[in-house]
Amino acid sequence: MTATLSSDVALTEPAAKRIAAILANEPTGAVFRVAVEGGGCSGFQYKFIVDPAPAADDALLEQGGARVAIDSASLGFLAGAKIDFVDDLMGQSFRIENPNAVSSCGCGTSFAL
């Protein structure tokens, strides 16, 4: 059974709209997964994928048609974080503002604690 995120992780309106658009082309029940993995140039990196359904131990964030799943291990690294979607001169990408990260690399997808 999935748990619903209350205030652990925030989703901006641009991120919710982009995730909803991505999921609109996926089978019913699909989720946008945000995970933290070891690696990257700073020690940890964010991973964004579409999964067919949330796992039993996932936290689930639903907003404006967006369904975001975060596994319990990653949730600890993302407590208080904000997921955003930006479209600027550098291109389009999801960005995470993570108060737990003490440093991050220039690519914005890896960080250190």
Side-chain angles (χ1 to χ4, degrees):
M1 178 178 270
T2 57
T4 301
L5 292 173
S6 53
S7 61
D8 294 338
V9 178
L11 193 61
T12 66
E13 186 176 335
K17 285 181 180 179
R18 181 65 180 142
I19 293 168
I22 291 168
L23 294 178
N25 297 317
E26 299 294 330
T28 302
V31 294
F32 186 82
R33 178 168 302 284
V34 178
V36 174
E37 298 180 334
C41 47
S42 294
F44 293 96
Q45 62 186 359
Y46 300 113
K47 182 177 179 183
F48 306 102
I49 60 170
V50 175
D51 271 345
D57 66 340
D58 283 343
L60 191 61
L61 172 60
E62 296 184 81
Q63 177 182 321
R67 292 177 37 129
V68 178
I70 303 173
D71 64 89
S72 58
S74 296
L75 190 57
F77 292 109
L78 294 169
K82 180 170 61 172
I83 301 169
D84 194 11
F85 180 77
V86 295
D87 184 358
D88 58 20
L89 292 175
M90 299 297 289
Q92 297 181 337
S93 64
F94 287 98
R95 303 250 172 97
I96 296 183
E97 294 176 28
N98 189 340
N100 304 302
V102 295
S103 65
S104 62
C105 70
C107 68
T109 61
S110 71
F111 64 100
L113 294 175

